[in-house]
Amino acid sequence: MNDATMNNALMSNVKTTTKADVMTESKISAKNVQVFYGEKHAIKDVNIEIRPRSVTAFIGPSGCGKSTFLRCINRMNDTIDICRVEGDIAIDGENVYDPKVDPVQLRAKVGMVFQKPNPFPKTIYENVAYGPRIHGLARKKSEMDEIVATSLQKAGLWNEVKDRLDAPGTGLSGGQQQRLCIARAVAVSPEVILMDEPCSALDPIATAKVEELIHELRENYTIVIVTHSMQQAARVSQRTAMFHLGELVEEDDTDKMFTNPNDQRTQDYIMGRFG
Amino acid sequence: MSAGILIVVILGIAVLGFILGRQRALSLAARDNVKLHSLPGYYGHSVALFAAVPAFLLMIAWLFIQPILIETGVSRMIPDSVIPDGGARSLVMADVHRIADGLDVLAEKGGLSEEELSRMRADFTNVRSRLAEVGVAVGSDIPVPVLDAAREYRDAKHLGSSLMVFAVLVVSIVFAAIAYSRVRPEMRARNVSESFIKALLMGSSLVAILTTFGIVASLLFESIHFFQMYPAKDFFFSLTWNPQFRGGSDLGIIPLLWGTIYVSFVALLFAVPVGLMIAIYLAEYAGKTVRSLAKPAIEILAGIPTIVYGLFALITVGPFLRDWLAQPLGLGNSSSSVLTAGLVMGIMLIPFVSSLSDDIINAVPQSLRDGSYGLGATQSETIKQVIMPAALPGVVGAILLAASRAIGETMIVVMGAGAAARMDLNPLEAMTTVTVKIVSQLTGDTEFASPETLVAFALGLTLFVFTLCLNVLALVIVRKYREQYD
Amino acid sequence: MTDATATLSNNNVRQVGGSLLVLDERTKKRNAAEARFRRMGQIAVMIGVLALIGLLASILSNGLSSFQQTYIAVDIHLDAAKLDKSGNRNPDEIAKVTTFGYMPLIQEAIKKKMAAEGISIDGLNAKAAAELISKEAPATLRNYVLSHIDAIGTTVPFKLLASGRIDGYYKGRVTMASAELDKNVSPEQLKLADELKQAGILTTAFNWDFFTAPDASDTRPEAAGLGVAILGSAYMMLIVLVLSLPIGVAASIYLEEFAPQNRLTDLIEVNIANLAAVPSIVFGILGLAVFINYAGLPQSAPIVGGLVLTLMTLPTIIIATRAALKAVPPSIRDAALGVGASKMQSIFHHVLPLAMPGILTGTIIGLAQALGETAPLLLIGMVAFVREYPAAPPEGFFDPASALPVQVYNWTQRGDPAFVERASGAIIVLLVFLVMMNLIAIILRRRFERRW
C-alpha cells in the first residue's frame, strides 16, 4: 500500500509536471480519498503527494472541499458524526485511517491552526504548555518553561509576551492570538502543521507577520495551508493544489500554477472569473 | 354588599358604558355627518375603561388601607391595664378580632339583633360562653374595654365596607359619565383607550415589585415584632432550639442552620458530581438516541413535585437506609436522617445541575474543542482542561442556584430529615432545618402573637436573605458568563 | 520577526514517539483514562435514570393498591323498633338516632349471614365479627336511612367497606403474624375474612370512592378519599389560571414591547428573576401575613391558596410569555405597522395570536408546578382536616378545602400504615394530572410550533 512503487503509480495519475526529487520524497500521500457528509459527496477521489519541509497551499472557491480535505489529514473530521472518509492518507507511509492508529497520537504529529484564532481561556503560558502537558513532553517545570519559551520564539511572539506569560491568552490582539495558536501547535513538536485559512480573521499587518512566520517554519515543518487569497498562496507556498467541487483540479509548483496552469478552471479561478 | 357583587356591578357598568359610548359615537357621527377618528368600538372601550379601572383601583386601595386605619384606631381604645403582664398589645388585638368575628356569628346564627349586641355588656352578660355556643373560643374572660373595642372594630369595619361600596360605585359612575360626555367623533378614542391599556400593562408588571415588597414587608414587620419579644442576640447565637408552650423558650437558629447546611451539603455532594457528569456525557459523548431518551427522563425529575420526593424519602429511602446502613453500623435508629433527606434532595437537584450545566457546556464555542483536539488531546482531556475551565463560572452559577433550592426546600426535609434540632456530625441522625421549623411553628396551635410563632418569620427572613444572596450571585455569574461567549 | 528562531532546534525536547501504528505507553494510559471518564458519565446517567425509576416504582408499588378496595356484602334489616321508636317516620326523630344506634343492625346482619353460610370461627363473638366492617359503615347506613325514610322496616342489601386491617390483609400489609400483635385485628377475624371471601361475601372492587369521598378520620383509612382535595385543587387552579394568565401576559407585553430602558424596568426584571427562585415556603409566609392576617381572608380557603400560587406562578408565565413574544420575528410587527396599525393593534392583532401557543405552553407548565406545590399551602392552613365539600364557586372559594399535595402530606402524618397506601395512591392521582397537563403542553408545542 505504501511502498514507493505504489506512490509512483499514484503520482502518474495526477497531472503534474513530475520532477525526480518529487518522486522520491513525499511526507503525506493521499490516495483515492472520498469524503461523505451524510448523503453529500464532499471529496471525490483525491490523490495528492505533499512534500516534506515545504509549504503546500490548497486553493479553490468556497465549499470546494479544501478545508474538508485538510481536516482529513489529522482526522479532525472524526469529531463530526455524519462524516465518513474512504481511501488512504499516509504520513511517512503509515495510513492514518488504519484502525490501529489512534487519532490522539496522530494529531500530536500533525498539528493544526484554525481559521479563527482560538486561544484557550487560560494564560499565555498555559496555552502553550497545554499540548506538551497532555502528551507528557516535559518531565519537570524547567523543561516545560523551555518548551514554552522555544515555541513562543518559533512563533515570533516571545518578545511581545515574555513579560506577561501569566496574562490571559484571550487578551492578546487577533494577530498575536493566531501566533499564540501557532506556538501552541509547535509546542507539541509536530512534523506537519495544517493551517486552515489562518489569516482570514486578521488585518494585513498581522497577516504579513504570520506569513513571514510560515516562511520561517518551513525549514523544520511540513506545512499545508488552506487559503482564500491567491496572493497569499503565491507568497508563502512552493506547491499549490487547486480544488473545485470536491475534486482536485490540479497540483503543481506554485510558480507554474499562477503563470501557466494546465486546467481551464484553475485559469478561470486565478483570473477571478468565479469563486 | 359583598366585594364579589360589587365587582360584578362595576363590570356591568363598564359593559353598559361600552354599549352607550359606542352608540353615542355612531349617532353623533351620523347626525353631524362626520367621520369618526377611530373605530366605534374604541369609543366604547374608553368609556368602559374609565368606568371600571379607577373604581377597581380605589377598591383595592381601600381594601388595603382600611384595615390599617381601623387597627390603629381600635388599638388606641385598649388601655394598658388590660394587657396582661409579659403579653403584647397584639395579643389583645387578636382577641378583639376574634370577638368581633364572634359577634358577627352571633348576629347571624344566634339570631341576636344589632340592638341586643350593642346592649350586651361584658360585666353582666357572659359573653365568653355565648361566643363559645356559636363555636368561637376565647382564651379568658373578656374585659370591658376589649369588648368595647371589639364592638367598635366591628362597627368600623361595617361602616368601612358600606362606605367603600358607595365610594366605588360613585367613582365608577362619575368617571363613566365624564368619559361618556367626552365622546365626540373627533375625539382620539383609540389613543385614549390605548394609553389606558398601556398603563394597565405597566401596572401588571408592577405586580412583581409588589410581590417582593409584600414578602419583604411581611417578613420584616413580624420579625421586628419577634425581636421585640425575644433578643436578637439569642436568636442568632444561641446553640439551643427548644420552644415551650408557656414561654421561656430557647429559639437559637444555629442548630437549624446546621441542619439546613448539612442536608444541603449532602444533597449537593450527590447532585453536583452526578448532574455534572450527566451534563458532560449528554453534551459531549452521548449519541442521538441516548440523548433523546436520557435527557427527557432526567428532566422529568425536575417536574415531579417535591411532595413526591418527600414521600419517597419517608416510605422508601428512610427505612432502607435505617435497615441497611444505620442499624448494621450501629449509627442510629431513625429512618428520618440527614442522609435520607440529603440523598432524596440530591436526586431532586440532579436536573437543576445537569440541564443548566448542559446549556453552559453547549455554549462553549466549538473552536476551543477543535483547538484542543487539533493538539492531540483526548475528549476527556479536552473536557477537563479546556471546556470545564471555560464553563466554570456558568457551572458555579448553576451550583449556587441548586444550593439555593436546597436551602429553601421544604417538603423533603419535613418528611425526611426529622424534627429534632440537633448539632451532630452523624449523617444517619435525624436533624432539622430552618424550613421544617417554619412549618412546624406556623402550623401548630400556639398563639399567633407569641415569640414561638413569630420566630417563624425571623427564620423566614433569614432564609429569604440567604437564598436571595445566592440567587443574585448566581444570576450575576451566569449573566457575565453568557456575555463572554455571546 | 527578529527572534532567533532559526538557531533553535527541536532536539532538546522529547517528541511524541515514532510510528503511528504502534500505540505508545502514554497514549494507552490516556486512552484508559478516557474510557474511565466516559464510563463515569454513563454511570451518572444511569444513576439519574435509576433514581427516576426507583421513585416511580416505589410510589406505584405502594399506591396502586389504593385503587382497589375490599367490600363486604350484607343484607341489613333496617329495624323500625330501633330506628323509629315512635313509628311515625318523622325525619327529625330518626335523625336523633346516632351512628351508635346503627351498630347493632350491622352486627345482626353479619351474624345472620354467617349462620346462613354456615361459617363459624372459634373464639369469635358477633361483635368481633362485625368489626370486620369499617367503622364508617354505620354512618353510611345512617345517611342511607335518612335519605330513604321509607326503607325502614325492610331488608336492604349493602356493600359495606371492610375495615382497614381486613383490606390490608388482602393487600399484603397485614399478616396472621402481625395480627397476633395487633390490638385492632385478631387472627380469628382474618380467618373469618378468608371464609367470607370464599363464600363470595367479601369481594374486592375498584375504589371509586377514593376519587369522590372526603377525607376520613385516623381510625378509618379505608373510607378516606380525595374528593375535597381534588375539588380544592381544582378551585385553586381556576383562580391561578384566571389571575396569572392575564396579569402575566400583560406584564410580559409591557416588558417586551413597551418598557423603556430605565431603572424601573431593570428593577422589574431583577424582581421577576428573583421571584422565580425564592423558596416556595416564603410565599406561604407572605400568604399568611398578607392575605390571612392582614386582609382577613379565611384560613384553609382556596382563594388564599389560589392567590399565593398565582404569585408563585407569575414569574414562570412571564418568562415563558416573553420568550414566546421574542420568538415572533420583527418583520410581523413591521408589516402590521406598515399598513397603518397602531403599535397596540399590531401586538394584539398579530404578535399575541402568533405567540399564543408558547404562552399557553408556559401557562400549563406553570399550572402544573402550582398543582404540585405543597409547602406554602401548609402555612395558610390547608392541612386542616376538612370533611365538608366546599360550595360551588364563587362562595366555595372562601370555604375550607384541602388540596391534593397537602392531602398527601396530611395522610403521611397519620399513624395507621394504611394511610401510606392512600398517600401513595393520591400521589399517583396527582402525577396523572401532571402528566396530562404536560402532555397537553407538549402537544400544543408540537402542533403549533413555528420555525421562522
Side-chain angles (χ1 to χ4, degrees):
Chain A
M1 189 71 66
N2 39 31
D3 57 354
T5 48
M6 279 298 272
N7 282 345
N8 291 351
L10 244 171
M11 287 306 292
S12 59
N13 286 340
V14 184
K15 287 185 219 122
T16 53
T17 49
T18 47
K19 290 182 181 172
D21 58 328
V22 180
M23 299 300 291
T24 52
E25 211 183 1
S26 153
K27 182 75 182 172
I28 305 168
S29 86
K31 188 192 151 205
N32 302 108
V33 175
Q34 320 266 0
V35 180
F36 301 89
Y37 279 115
E39 292 298 298
K40 192 177 168 249
H41 199 166
I43 298 284
K44 296 166 191 157
D45 199 26
V46 168
N47 296 285
I48 191 171
E49 301 290 320
I50 290 166
R51 297 179 199 175
R53 290 171 205 271
S54 70
V55 179
T56 305
F58 289 177
I59 60 170
S62 306
C64 66
K66 54 193 189 304
S67 286
T68 304
F69 183 71
L70 187 79
R71 291 166 69 95
C72 288
I73 298 174
N74 70 344
R75 290 181 58 177
M76 277 302 279
N77 285 335
D78 285 17
T79 55
I80 301 164
D81 286 336
I82 54 162
C83 182
R84 191 159 51 83
V85 180
E86 287 172 10
D88 294 343
I89 298 176
I91 294 178
D92 292 336
E94 291 175 328
N95 180 14
V96 301
Y97 282 95
D98 189 296
K100 275 183 282 188
V101 171
D102 192 311
V104 164
Q105 231 169 309
L106 165 68
R107 288 173 197 153
K109 213 171 198 168
V110 185
M112 187 153 190
V113 177
F114 297 85
Q115 197 166 352
K116 241 180 84 195
N118 56 350
F120 302 131
K122 297 166 180 271
T123 63
I124 293 170
Y125 182 96
E126 282 303 319
N127 259 288
V128 181
Y130 176 73
R133 187 162 288 147
I134 55 175
H135 292 292
L137 298 186
R139 267 169 298 241
K140 45 187 191 283
K141 178 87 171 68
S142 59
E143 282 185 14
M144 184 62 85
D145 289 347
E146 196 190 335
I147 294 176
V148 170
T150 319
S151 308
L152 284 169
Q153 280 162 0
K154 283 183 187 168
L157 197 59
W158 178 247
N159 287 342
E160 291 161 61
V161 300
K162 64 183 174 201
D163 301 324
R164 46 176 177 140
L165 290 175
D166 285 338
T170 44
L172 297 172
S173 73
Q176 287 173 323
Q177 285 190 9
Q178 195 61 302
R179 279 182 281 145
L180 177 64
C181 291
I182 293 173
R184 191 174 68 183
V186 166
V188 194
S189 310
E191 292 165 21
V192 180
I193 301 177
L194 309 176
M195 296 185 175
D196 189 355
E197 299 183 33
C199 301
S200 66
L202 304 184
D203 61 55
I205 295 171
T207 301
K209 281 197 172 174
V210 172
E211 283 179 7
E212 200 176 335
L213 174 60
I214 293 170
H215 196 68
E216 284 168 20
L217 290 173
R218 178 169 64 99
E219 295 180 14
N220 291 315
Y221 305 94
T222 306
I223 294 173
V224 186
I225 179 169
V226 166
T227 176
H228 254 124
S229 150
M230 248 73 66
Q231 291 86 341
Q232 186 171 57
R235 282 194 300 265
V236 300
S237 70
Q238 285 75 53
R239 302 273 296 174
T240 298
M242 161 76 190
F243 283 76
H244 185 235
L245 296 175
E247 287 173 54
L248 176 61
V249 173
E250 66 174 307
E251 189 244 345
D252 210 329
D253 282 342
T254 302
D255 299 341
K256 170 135 191 318
M257 279 284 270
F258 281 90
T259 51
N260 183 21
N262 286 334
D263 196 291
Q264 183 60 36
R265 287 172 291 179
T266 315
Q267 176 84 33
D268 289 348
Y269 182 65
I270 290 167
M271 303 305 282
R273 288 195 194 114
F274 69 84
Chain B
M1 201 191 286
S2 81
I5 299 171
L6 186 59
I7 291 172
V8 173
V9 170
I10 294 173
L11 288 179
I13 296 175
V15 171
L16 195 69
F18 176 83
I19 297 167
L20 291 179
R22 188 171 177 277
Q23 271 173 1
R24 181 177 158 93
L26 283 173
S27 64
L28 283 180
R31 194 191 67 193
D32 303 345
N33 200 14
V34 287
K35 217 167 156 274
L36 286 173
H37 168 269
S38 316
L39 293 172
Y42 282 108
Y43 295 89
H45 276 162
S46 64
V47 178
L49 286 169
F50 270 102
V53 176
F56 279 136
L57 289 181
L58 177 69
M59 190 171 146
I60 292 168
W62 195 297
L63 286 175
F64 267 91
I65 293 165
Q66 178 181 313
I68 305 181
L69 295 179
I70 296 180
E71 202 78 356
T72 44
V74 172
S75 173
R76 229 175 280 133
M77 287 176 63
I78 298 171
D80 286 340
S81 58
V82 299
I83 295 173
D85 289 339
R89 184 169 287 270
S90 54
L91 274 173
V92 181
M93 280 308 290
D95 270 351
V96 170
H97 293 169
R98 203 132 15 113
I99 295 164
D101 288 347
L103 291 177
D104 273 342
V105 180
L106 268 181
E108 198 185 315
K109 282 195 198 155
L112 267 70
S113 68
E114 289 299 317
E115 209 181 324
E116 282 172 297
L117 281 178
S118 60
R119 260 185 305 164
M120 203 151 65
R121 293 205 17 214
D123 35 357
F124 293 124
T125 334
N126 192 346
V127 183
R128 189 182 170 195
S129 63
R130 298 206 66 163
L131 288 176
E133 273 171 32
V134 291
V136 178
V138 180
S140 57
D141 276 333
I142 301 161
V144 179
V146 173
L147 182 63
D148 289 342
R151 245 194 310 250
E152 176 66 29
Y153 176 80
R154 188 167 163 263
D155 291 345
K157 236 169 95 172
H158 287 187
L159 180 70
S161 40
S162 315
L163 271 180
M164 179 184 82
V165 170
F166 179 71
V168 167
L169 283 179
V170 166
V171 164
S172 174
I173 292 166
V174 167
F175 272 83
I178 294 173
Y180 179 76
S181 70
R182 279 178 48 197
V183 170
R184 298 258 181 287
E186 66 275 15
M187 174 195 169
R188 297 169 168 237
R190 202 196 68 230
N191 306 39
V192 171
S193 95
E194 282 186 358
S195 18
F196 218 116
I197 289 173
K198 194 174 157 189
L200 279 183
L201 296 182
M202 187 179 163
S204 304
S205 72
L206 291 180
V207 170
I209 293 184
L210 277 180
T211 309
T212 309
F213 175 77
I215 289 174
V216 173
S218 54
L219 287 175
L220 267 184
F221 191 67
E222 302 290 359
S223 295
I224 289 169
H225 259 179
F226 169 70
F227 287 125
Q228 282 165 351
M229 288 183 231
Y230 190 87
K233 196 184 80 175
D234 288 358
F235 175 70
F236 285 114
F237 299 111
S238 164
L239 294 181
T240 37
W241 172 272
N242 183 22
Q244 304 284 330
F245 283 114
R246 291 271 161 231
S249 308
D250 285 315
L251 300 171
I253 195 178
I254 295 206
L256 309 186
L257 278 182
W258 169 253
T260 305
I261 291 167
Y262 201 175
V263 172
S264 307
F265 175 74
V266 171
L268 291 174
L269 205 62
F270 177 73
V272 170
V274 173
L276 214 50
M277 280 313 291
I278 287 178
I280 289 171
Y281 187 79
L282 292 183
E284 302 285 326
Y285 286 102
K288 243 188 181 161
T289 11
V290 174
R291 198 178 153 87
S292 68
L293 289 176
K295 209 172 149 65
I298 304 291
E299 272 161 12
I300 287 176
L301 284 175
I304 291 177
T306 54
I307 180 82
V308 183
Y309 288 100
L311 192 69
F312 185 50
L314 186 76
I315 63 179
T316 307
V317 178
F320 178 83
L321 289 179
R322 181 193 56 203
D323 297 343
W324 295 92
L325 204 63
Q327 283 176 342
L329 293 176
L331 283 174
N333 240 331
S334 160
S335 77
S336 42
S337 68
V338 168
L339 193 60
T340 305
L343 270 185
V344 175
M345 199 191 282
I347 296 175
M348 181 198 83
L349 292 179
I350 287 176
F352 281 94
V353 178
S354 75
S355 62
L356 256 174
S357 309
D358 194 11
D359 292 350
I360 286 156
I361 290 170
N362 279 326
V364 174
Q366 182 62 30
S367 67
L368 289 186
R369 293 185 179 82
D370 284 348
S372 179
Y373 295 146
L375 288 169
T378 64
Q379 215 166 344
S380 63
E381 285 161 350
T382 305
I383 292 163
K384 281 188 272 193
Q385 298 183 37
V386 177
I387 296 176
M388 284 328 279
L392 192 65
V395 171
V396 168
I399 293 171
L400 286 180
L401 276 183
S404 143
R405 278 276 153 177
I407 289 173
E409 174 46 43
T410 310
M411 291 325 291
I412 294 175
V413 282
V414 165
M415 295 163 84
R422 191 181 284 133
M423 292 179 74
D424 202 325
L425 275 175
N426 179 358
L428 293 163
E429 279 285 1
M431 279 174 227
T432 199
T433 69
V434 173
T435 49
V436 171
K437 285 304 158 194
I438 292 176
V439 171
S440 67
Q441 297 313 105
L442 284 179
T443 51
D445 289 328
T446 43
E447 185 61 52
F448 183 79
S450 67
E452 286 73 28
T453 305
L454 289 178
V455 69
F457 289 89
L459 292 176
L461 186 64
T462 317
L463 180 69
F464 181 70
V465 171
F466 249 78
T467 52
L468 186 73
C469 293
L470 281 175
N471 293 340
V472 171
L473 196 62
L475 283 176
V476 168
I477 290 176
V478 171
R479 192 175 290 178
K480 274 255 165 68
Y481 170 79
R482 289 259 154 80
E483 278 163 10
Q484 188 187 330
Y485 289 115
D486 270 350
Chain C
M1 209 83 354
T2 50
D3 296 337
T5 355
T7 61
L8 288 159
S9 75
N10 251 343
N11 302 338
N12 53 351
V13 291
R14 297 203 299 159
Q15 246 183 308
V16 181
S19 168
L20 284 174
L21 298 171
V22 185
L23 280 186
D24 60 18
E25 275 310 304
R26 191 177 163 82
T27 310
K28 275 183 198 155
K29 262 190 217 154
R30 286 169 62 198
N31 284 342
E34 169 74 21
R36 271 199 307 276
F37 190 73
R38 201 187 164 99
R39 206 148 45 238
M40 272 163 64
Q42 282 164 341
I43 290 171
V45 172
M46 230 120 76
I47 289 176
V49 174
L50 281 180
L52 176 67
I53 294 171
L55 182 71
L56 294 179
S58 146
I59 301 293
L60 287 179
S61 67
N62 276 296
L64 274 180
S65 58
S66 62
F67 299 113
Q68 294 286 323
Q69 195 66 36
T70 315
Y71 294 93
I72 296 177
V74 281
D75 305 321
I76 292 177
H77 177 59
L78 299 172
D79 191 353
K82 282 194 175 113
L83 301 179
D84 187 18
K85 285 185 186 118
S86 51
N88 54 12
R89 298 291 188 267
N90 179 349
D92 288 340
E93 278 180 40
I94 295 167
K96 287 214 172 95
V97 181
T98 60
T99 49
F100 282 109
Y102 288 83
M103 275 309 284
L105 301 182
I106 295 172
Q107 273 180 34
E108 199 60 38
I110 195 131
K111 205 158 86 184
K112 251 192 221 155
K113 198 85 186 180
M114 282 168 70
E117 296 286 333
I119 300 168
S120 74
I121 302 288
D122 292 337
L124 199 68
N125 57 22
K127 186 167 171 293
E131 275 173 14
L132 258 59
I133 291 176
S134 163
K135 291 193 181 75
E136 187 72 12
T140 316
L141 219 52
R142 182 168 178 267
N143 288 340
Y144 178 83
V145 169
L146 290 180
S147 55
H148 300 82
I149 300 276
D150 296 340
I152 292 179
T154 60
T155 302
V156 183
F158 277 95
K159 219 171 152 191
L160 296 171
L161 283 169
S163 80
R165 291 295 146 87
I166 302 300
D167 185 46
Y169 178 51
Y170 292 107
K171 290 172 178 170
R173 200 167 52 233
V174 175
T175 60
M176 285 292 175
S178 78
E180 293 277 0
L181 311 167
D182 194 337
K183 67 177 173 18
N184 288 318
V185 69
S186 66
E188 287 76 25
Q189 284 174 322
L190 295 183
K191 274 183 208 141
L192 173 61
D194 278 339
E195 297 270 348
L196 289 176
K197 193 176 171 104
Q198 216 128 60
I201 297 165
L202 185 147
T203 51
T204 345
F206 191 77
N207 188 7
W208 286 110
D209 289 343
F210 187 56
F211 304 100
T212 55
D215 194 8
S217 73
D218 271 9
T219 51
R220 44 192 88 159
E222 64 277 4
L226 287 169
V228 176
I230 291 178
L231 208 55
S233 277
Y235 282 10
M236 286 196 288
M237 288 306 106
L238 198 64
I239 295 169
V240 173
L241 181 65
V242 166
L243 290 179
S244 66
L245 185 58
I247 297 179
V249 171
S252 312
I253 291 178
Y254 177 74
L255 291 173
E256 206 52 50
E257 308 282 344
F258 292 106
Q261 278 290 331
N262 62 18
R263 283 261 180 81
L264 182 67
T265 311
D266 280 352
L267 186 67
I268 296 172
E269 306 240 6
V270 169
N271 260 301
I272 291 171
N274 260 321
L275 285 179
V278 165
S280 60
I281 191 154
V282 172
F283 283 93
I285 296 180
L286 169 79
L288 177 66
V290 174
F291 296 131
I292 293 179
N293 284 348
Y294 182 76
L297 291 171
Q299 283 214 342
S300 315
I303 181 80
V304 182
L307 286 173
V308 169
L309 294 180
T310 299
L311 295 183
M312 288 188 63
T313 314
L314 267 179
T316 314
I317 293 186
I318 292 178
I319 290 166
T321 306
R322 292 186 65 180
L325 289 174
K326 229 180 247 164
V328 177
S331 60
I332 302 278
R333 294 174 180 82
D334 295 344
L337 295 176
V339 297
S342 69
K343 185 156 191 195
M344 198 66 81
Q345 284 170 326
S346 79
I347 291 164
F348 279 92
H349 296 169
H350 298 282
V351 178
L352 201 56
L354 288 173
M356 220 52 207
I359 296 173
L360 290 182
T361 309
T363 307
I364 294 171
I365 289 171
L367 280 181
Q369 270 173 23
L371 181 61
E373 201 52 68
T374 322
L377 302 183
L378 297 183
L379 298 193
I380 57 167
M382 298 211 79
V383 263
F385 176 68
V386 184
R387 279 215 58 153
E388 304 292 319
Y389 292 98
E395 292 83 33
F397 290 148
F398 295 86
D399 289 344
S402 187
L404 263 179
V406 182
Q407 191 68 66
V408 173
Y409 172 72
N410 206 337
W411 282 343
T412 60
Q413 302 306 103
R414 308 261 179 98
D416 196 316
F419 278 110
V420 169
E421 178 210 62
R422 298 272 145 173
S424 304
I427 291 271
I428 296 174
V429 175
L430 177 66
L431 288 180
V432 167
F433 278 123
L434 290 180
V435 167
M436 286 195 307
M437 291 170 88
N438 280 293
L439 276 184
I440 294 173
I442 290 170
I443 291 168
L444 264 179
R445 196 180 299 170
R446 289 262 163 85
R447 234 5 232 292
F448 296 103
E449 193 174 49
R450 247 175 247 254
R451 291 254 166 255
W452 302 99

